Amino acid sequence: MRLPILAKEPHAAGFQLRLLAAILLVILALTTLAFYFAQWKITAQAEKGFQRNFQAALSTLHQLQELRHATLTERCRLLAEKPRIHAALEDNALDLLYPSARDELHDLMVGDDRAYNQSSLSAKFYRFLGPNGSVLHPNRDDEVGDLDPAIEAQLSLSSLPQIPQVGYIEYTDKSTQNLAEVIAVPIFSTETGDPISALVVGFKPTDLVRATPDSGITSGLWVNNRLYGGLQHDVPRIVAENIAKAVADGGTDQNNLKVSAKGVSYLVFYKRLNPRSAFPAGYEICLYSLTGAKVQVNRLRWQIGTTSFFLFLGGLVASHFVSSQFSAPVEKLALDSERNREQRRRAEDALISTSEQLKRSTRYSADASHQLKSPVTILRSGIEALLERDKFQPEVYEELSALLHQTRRLTGVIDDLLLLSRMDAGHLIISRESINLSRVIDQWLDDLNALPDSAEIKIEKAYPSELWIRGEERYTSLIVQNLLENARKYNRPAGEILVRARTHDHSIIVTIGNTGSSIPQDAQPHIFKRFHYSSSTSGHGLGLNVARDLTRLHGGDIHLVRSSDDWTEFELRFPTAS
Amino acid sequence: MRPRHQVWLLFLLGSLLGRGSNAATIEGEVELPRSRPPAGIVAKRYEIVNQNGVLSTEPPLGVVYLDGSFPKPNSLPTKQIAQKDLRFMPSLLPVQVGTRVEFPNLDDVYHNIFSYSPAKRFDLGRYRSDERPIPSQVFEVPGLVTLRCEIHAHMRGLILVLSTPYFVVTQPNGRFRLDDLPEGRYTLKAWIDSKTTREKAVELRNGGTLHVDFL
């Protein structure tokens, strides 16, 4: 931790702590997520791998099984085709059937050696079926393999099959209960082509457990709701029950299921060994214990857990480093920000002070104007009263007239100042009534014509009789008056005033041009400023300023179009009433 | 001289000789099943075929015989059915009861002729062409005997054991002629296949020729 900064700037230190906590939280969440997904993925993949191995091992076993079935079936079929057997069946010599078969099937039954007798390729018994599918009983000394009559009856079929059939039956061999795999091959008449008999041969079923000692698979046969083979001793009862249920409910010839018993999970695969057979169904059951797989998966989980822990530790260190790196500029930013805040506060204070000063100034000019207005009015009234008397010398009258003119001028200045101070204070509210600007201009042109020194000035006008704008008439009148009086005031003898107006793009544009001396080029940008004087003008410097401010309050504007070569022209623009 | 001329000459000679004796003659025709020769076979050989459990020769041949009881002769000539090219030759052999039939093997391979027929059960075992004496059997019980080979499952031969000495195998066109028959009332039978034997009552007079058709 950087304690000096903490001491100096508590906000910046808090940021570093929060950043560190946030990064730690993110790393913790990511590590947890990664751990969870990795172990989930690896468990799923491991299980898939076990399934795949299991299926591959099973596939090999099934190929062996199918090969064995095909071999045995073909062998039985070849034996059943023997001419003596056909002759016995076709030439009505059934008494010679089993004696003939004894010779033909001798090899299948006995074989050459003891090992063959123990193998699953050695036949344990055989019988022939008659035309109705029932067993043709042999004589005792026919060496066909002893069978209890009840078991022998299990070999009978409802009718002779058209294709080889595989079945599983229980039989007693040397007082031991055993399961036999029987293969029934049809015998077709060489004369009619119809099945006339079937040879049913019983074999010892293949022991898949012994066949695959290293595959981790145990297997057995499921016939008549019982398990046979090496499996029956290993399988917990609950697994057997699950298998029975799956076989009974499944309706399919093969399926996978996962069964747990006594804390051990098993992958179970069952497959009907004799689909579409006329004999009762026999299923091959293969079990794969997931104990070893579980140990492997747990080991993987531990490995992932340890890796995640170290990753988290690494993340801790990295986050501290990253938070230090990131917080440094932020601390600097915080300091800068504090300085900026101070500067802003000072600027705001200055602004408030200036605003107060402005307000005070506005109030002062308004108050001053009000205070001046009364004495000037009294002064003017007094001078007018003196002029009405006739006992003075003519020089005195002349002086008084000059005084009256100056007081009137002073009154005009005071009125303008009052109006401006109201505008500055924001107290001037313009009403929005319809005004015919043409009429206002007409009135003021008439007044101009009436003035004594205007006779020699030519006034021309070109505008429609109606130009409607929105505003307050006394102020629009004041605007027009200011501009027209300027046009007259600064005209030359025998000069000209031209007033034009037109409507253009929702605006009414009035241009007022006059002859006379031009406004100097350097003065042109300042003519609308308050108290602007130039050497060539005789006004008090408020008229144009008042006119422009009032026009802007009406939503319009004034500007100088040109002032050169004996022609000065202003353009006045108002929005139309519509 | 062409074979046809020889046949006619013998026939004429027989007629002249027989005219003086007391023997009767039956001639006629048996309607045989239509032949179903296997496609592609050029050489006309006779073999036993199965059609829905019925054994007959292919091309079809019949056996016409005079049924009745006749004194058994002291000795009968030995007949032969050879195994040649994995077939019985002839494939159909009518014999009188008590006839010995030899089964010479003319092939280079082993044969094992046996029969499980009720009329005669025998098994000659395996033997080659140099087997001496030639394996033989005496047929004492009338009936049809199916010959099989234990090694060659497709081989079939028929021996028709008859009580009468008067029998003849028809020509391929179904025509037959039985000479030197004793006079009297008899049943004339025509064996066509293992399941079909037709018969007609005939009355034979010495020196007469009876025309009987089994159509």
Side-chain angles (χ1 to χ4, degrees):
Chain A
M1 291 291 156
R2 297 173 64 179
L3 285 173
I5 286 181
L6 192 70
K8 270 187 201 169
E9 192 50 65
H11 293 298
F15 170 76
Q16 188 182 356
L17 268 179
R18 282 199 298 275
L19 184 64
L20 183 64
I23 294 173
L24 277 180
L25 270 178
V26 169
I27 288 174
L28 185 65
L30 286 176
T31 316
T32 312
L33 267 178
F35 170 71
Y36 176 75
F37 277 112
Q39 69 95 22
W40 172 75
K41 181 100 182 158
I42 284 177
T43 309
Q45 272 186 348
E47 203 156 290
K48 212 179 273 179
F50 299 139
Q51 289 249 23
R52 211 165 30 235
N53 291 344
F54 182 44
Q55 295 291 354
L58 278 182
S59 173
T60 313
L61 293 180
H62 290 150
Q63 281 172 3
L64 279 174
Q65 187 83 277
E66 280 169 17
L67 194 66
R68 176 174 174 275
H69 274 167
T71 309
L72 290 179
T73 306
E74 184 60 15
R75 194 165 179 199
C76 293
R77 193 185 64 75
L78 287 174
L79 289 172
E81 299 244 309
K82 289 289 182 185
R84 286 176 194 280
I85 293 172
H86 269 274
L89 290 165
E90 291 170 5
D91 294 349
N92 198 19
L94 287 180
D95 55 319
L96 293 177
L97 178 62
Y98 280 101
S100 300
R102 182 178 55 198
D103 299 337
E104 305 288 2
L105 275 71
H106 179 79
D107 288 349
L108 189 67
M109 288 289 286
V110 179
D112 298 333
D113 53 24
R114 188 181 165 78
Y116 175 83
N117 270 328
Q118 296 298 320
S119 81
S120 59
L121 295 175
S122 145
K124 301 297 167 198
F125 58 83
Y126 69 89
R127 295 291 186 275
F128 285 96
L129 304 185
N132 57 0
S134 59
V135 173
L136 296 171
H137 296 289
N139 293 322
R140 272 197 182 170
D141 56 351
D142 282 338
E143 298 175 8
V144 293
D146 288 335
L147 282 182
D148 186 83
I151 292 165
E152 192 179 77
Q154 289 183 48
L155 300 176
S156 296
L157 295 173
S158 57
S159 62
L160 288 176
Q162 292 284 341
I163 55 169
Q165 307 280 318
V166 178
Y168 296 88
I169 62 157
E170 293 172 330
Y171 82 109
T172 314
D173 185 17
K174 294 167 189 164
S175 73
T176 314
Q177 192 76 1
N178 264 322
L179 193 70
E181 187 176 40
V182 294
I183 293 177
V185 289
I187 300 173
F188 297 99
S189 164
T190 54
E191 297 173 352
T192 63
D194 295 328
I196 49 172
S197 178
L199 172 62
V200 186
V201 188
F203 298 93
K204 185 185 175 189
T206 331
D207 200 344
L208 288 181
V209 186
R210 273 191 216 156
T212 57
D214 301 325
S215 63
I217 298 174
T218 49
S219 73
L221 286 169
W222 182 270
V223 180
N224 291 332
N225 267 341
R226 273 194 60 186
L227 264 173
Y228 294 89
L231 199 59
Q232 54 187 324
H233 305 298
D234 305 337
V235 179
R237 190 177 52 81
I238 189 157
V239 178
E241 281 172 4
N242 268 291
I243 294 169
K245 192 169 178 301
V247 168
D249 297 349
T252 52
D253 282 348
Q254 65 180 59
N255 207 352
N256 285 309
L257 55 144
K258 200 172 167 183
V259 180
S260 294
K262 294 177 183 172
V264 180
S265 292
Y266 296 92
L267 282 179
V268 181
F269 176 85
Y270 68 86
K271 181 186 183 184
R272 186 168 172 178
L273 290 171
N274 56 345
R276 297 180 298 283
S277 171
F279 290 109
Y283 290 89
E284 177 194 69
I285 308 287
C286 291
L287 237 73
Y288 185 79
S289 167
L290 291 175
T291 317
K294 210 171 181 179
V295 169
Q296 209 175 327
V297 167
N298 280 340
R299 196 166 57 236
L300 274 173
R301 275 184 183 154
W302 268 109
Q303 286 170 357
I304 295 168
T306 314
T307 313
S308 303
F309 177 71
F310 280 114
L311 268 178
F312 180 66
L313 279 184
L316 262 178
V317 175
S319 63
H320 181 240
F321 175 74
V322 168
S323 67
S324 307
Q325 288 295 312
F326 271 90
S327 59
V330 172
E331 283 162 9
K332 187 173 178 297
L333 198 67
L335 280 172
D336 292 350
S337 166
E338 196 58 32
R339 282 192 206 109
N340 288 345
R341 205 180 298 134
E342 184 57 34
Q343 284 174 356
R344 196 182 67 201
R345 197 167 49 75
R346 276 194 227 113
E348 277 174 1
D349 288 348
L351 194 66
I352 289 165
S353 163
T354 311
S355 172
E356 287 294 321
Q357 281 175 359
L358 190 68
K359 274 182 189 166
R360 272 200 302 275
S361 150
T362 309
R363 205 180 309 125
Y364 171 78
S365 74
D367 289 349
S369 304
H370 272 290
Q371 292 297 326
L372 282 172
K373 200 165 183 179
S374 301
V376 170
T377 308
I378 291 165
L379 187 65
R380 199 179 69 189
S381 304
I383 293 168
E384 282 172 349
L386 283 174
L387 278 173
E388 283 172 5
R389 292 185 191 176
D390 50 3
K391 50 185 175 187
F392 300 118
Q393 293 296 319
E395 294 83 4
V396 176
Y397 280 112
E398 210 166 298
E399 284 294 322
L400 285 174
S401 291
L403 279 174
L404 185 62
H405 178 72
Q406 290 303 322
T407 46
R408 278 181 183 158
R409 197 171 160 217
L410 193 59
T411 308
V413 171
I414 290 166
D415 285 346
D416 283 352
L417 277 173
L418 265 174
L419 191 60
L420 280 169
S421 64
R422 282 175 67 197
M423 280 193 278
D424 289 346
H427 292 158
L428 190 71
I429 308 293
I430 303 287
S431 63
R432 299 283 171 188
E433 58 203 30
S434 293
I435 303 163
N436 186 356
L437 191 63
S438 297
R439 194 179 57 79
V440 174
I441 297 169
D442 282 343
Q443 281 173 356
W444 279 108
L445 286 177
D446 287 349
D447 286 357
L448 273 189
N449 277 325
L451 286 172
D453 55 349
S454 303
E456 53 195 36
I457 291 174
K458 185 184 171 191
I459 294 174
E460 279 189 29
K461 51 184 184 180
Y463 47 85
S465 60
E466 287 191 359
L467 290 168
W468 291 95
I469 60 166
R470 284 204 179 275
E472 197 163 332
E473 185 162 349
R474 57 175 167 149
Y475 296 122
T476 52
S477 181
L478 191 58
I479 297 162
V480 173
Q481 180 197 356
N482 275 345
L483 290 173
L484 286 179
E485 276 185 356
N486 280 350
R488 182 191 63 84
K489 199 192 289 177
Y490 302 113
N491 222 318
R492 62 174 161 78
E496 186 186 342
I497 293 175
L498 173 60
V499 182
R500 288 175 297 175
R502 60 193 165 92
T503 307
H504 174 69
D505 196 16
H506 302 294
S507 293
I508 291 171
I509 299 165
V510 181
T511 53
I512 298 168
N514 64 278
T515 50
S517 58
S518 310
I519 303 167
Q521 197 72 30
D522 56 343
Q524 285 183 12
H526 309 292
I527 55 169
F528 290 103
K529 288 183 180 168
R530 203 170 289 183
F531 300 115
H532 170 73
Y533 299 99
S534 72
S535 56
S536 61
T537 57
S538 57
H540 49 68
L542 287 174
L544 279 176
N545 180 255
V546 168
R548 191 184 65 173
D549 286 3
L550 282 174
T551 311
R552 285 182 175 173
L553 278 175
H554 279 79
D557 206 353
I558 299 175
H559 69 272
L560 177 66
V561 178
R562 59 173 284 202
S563 183
S564 59
D565 302 331
D566 192 34
W567 189 255
T568 299
E569 187 172 299
F570 284 89
E571 186 184 274
L572 179 60
R573 184 184 289 261
F574 286 105
T576 56
S578 58
Chain B
M1 194 176 285
R2 286 186 295 179
R4 182 175 280 187
H5 294 163
Q6 286 176 336
V7 170
W8 278 111
L9 198 63
L10 283 170
F11 182 71
L12 193 66
L13 198 64
S15 302
L16 288 171
L17 286 171
R19 194 158 287 172
S21 71
N22 291 329
T25 299
I26 301 175
E27 60 182 17
E29 190 178 341
V30 179
E31 186 186 21
L32 296 171
R34 189 169 290 179
S35 173
R36 293 174 298 277
I41 292 184
V42 180
K44 187 177 278 188
R45 297 198 299 192
Y46 291 82
E47 58 180 314
I48 301 300
V49 294
N50 281 309
Q51 284 298 326
N52 298 321
V54 179
L55 293 172
S56 59
T57 58
E58 177 58 40
L61 291 174
V63 177
V64 180
Y65 61 93
L66 197 65
D67 201 22
S69 110
F70 301 98
K72 195 175 172 183
N74 292 329
S75 66
L76 284 167
T78 299
K79 300 288 178 76
Q80 276 196 339
I81 291 185
Q83 295 108 64
K84 176 82 176 130
D85 300 333
L86 305 184
R87 282 184 175 77
F88 289 105
M89 292 184 74
S91 58
L92 172 62
L93 178 71
V95 295
Q96 192 178 355
V97 171
T99 305
R100 175 173 293 277
V101 181
E102 292 178 341
F103 300 94
N105 179 359
L106 305 182
D107 283 325
D108 294 334
V109 296
Y110 278 102
H111 283 295
N112 182 351
I113 309 306
F114 74 97
S115 167
Y116 281 3
S117 298
K120 180 71 181 176
R121 286 180 173 178
F122 65 91
D123 190 339
L124 300 178
R126 295 185 174 204
Y127 60 95
R128 293 203 308 193
S129 55
D130 55 357
E131 184 81 4
R132 291 294 179 274
I134 296 170
S136 64
Q137 289 288 313
V138 178
F139 293 83
E140 303 284 5
V141 180
L144 187 67
V145 177
T146 306
L147 303 176
R148 296 169 186 262
C149 175
E150 199 271 338
I151 302 167
H152 308 103
H154 71 276
M155 289 175 65
R156 289 287 188 284
L158 292 177
I159 296 176
L160 188 59
V161 185
L162 301 166
S163 313
T164 173
Y166 307 108
F167 54 82
V168 69
V169 178
T170 65
Q171 294 172 35
N173 60 9
R175 297 195 69 81
F176 68 91
R177 183 185 170 89
L178 274 170
D179 291 319
D180 298 327
L181 303 177
E183 68 172 359
R185 293 170 184 269
Y186 301 100
T187 304
L188 185 70
K189 292 190 175 177
W191 181 97
I192 294 166
D193 58 49
S194 62
K195 299 278 170 67
T196 315
T197 303
R198 292 182 185 152
E199 56 184 53
K200 280 189 176 176
V202 291
E203 186 174 354
L204 300 177
R205 292 162 191 252
N206 280 337
T209 297
L210 198 63
H211 191 92
V212 181
D213 288 334
F214 294 94
L215 298 177

